[in-house]
Amino acid sequence: MNDDPPALALFDLDGTLSDTRHRLHYVERTPKDWKAFFRAAGEDPPLAEGIALAKEWAARCEVGYVTGRPEHCRRATVRWLKAQGLPVGGPLWMRAARDFRPARVAKLERLRALARDREIAVVVDDDTEVCEVYEKAGFTVVRADWMPANATLAKAQESEGRT
């Protein structure tokens, strides 16, 4: 009998599982309205490709989430995941208040911490810079390319540490 916990399949949310395009207008203007941007996250349409992939991985691994969303979005995020029929019992890492490090730094730190105690089977993310650092660190990565990239969101992830 094996007492080791199951391997983890980790998914990003925005642009991987959820379609953020309906709320981008909040951060494409000056000043950016981050509160409204995140408040609207619970209304994101699902991205069928990402949802299907998460469900596929859930059949053989524990599914968890590594997102740049701030911690104050946790309840709305869990409700959204449940509404999509996705598992919510695994890890859900979200940014702490005032953690504005680039996504590639913050997410890699969290992934390495998770990997100390668990096997990471796969990581799925839409951010090319995040995917590159994951791959360089030796993780198996699926690049979520099913939603067109958005320059404003990419800048927010890397230079503003916002998602």
Side-chain angles (χ1 to χ4, degrees), residues 3-4 7 25 27 29 34 36 60 62 64 85 96 108 111 119 125 130 132 150 152:
D3 290 336
D4 291 337
H25 64 96
V27 295
R29 62 187 185 202
W34 287 108
R60 58 183 173 230
E62 181 176 3
L108 180 60
L111 188 59
E119 175 190 348
D125 203 297
V130 169
E132 287 172 9
N150 177 278
T152 301

Side-chain angles (χ1 to χ4, degrees), residues 30-94:
T30 302
K32 292 175 175 62
D33 188 347
W34 287 108
K35 286 182 182 179
F37 177 80
F38 288 118
R39 197 170 35 247
E43 301 162 23
D44 286 359
L47 291 168
E49 297 91 335
I51 300 296
L53 190 60
K55 288 179 178 179
E56 179 183 318
W57 277 98
R60 58 183 173 230
C61 294
E62 181 176 3
V63 171
Y65 309 93
V66 177
T67 179
R69 288 182 185 185
E71 182 63 43
H72 66 81
C73 295
R74 180 172 294 274
R75 287 193 336 192
T77 298
V78 169
R79 275 194 307 272
W80 186 90
L81 290 166
K82 285 180 181 178
Q84 309 318 311
L86 294 173
V88 293
L92 170 55
W93 178 81
M94 305 180 88

Side-chain angles (χ1 to χ4, degrees), residues 125-135 143 149 157-158:
D125 203 297
D126 67 314
D127 184 322
T128 57
E129 291 192 37
V130 169
C131 289
E132 287 172 9
V133 297
Y134 284 170
E135 289 167 343
R143 292 174 180 245
Q157 290 172 318
E158 290 308 314

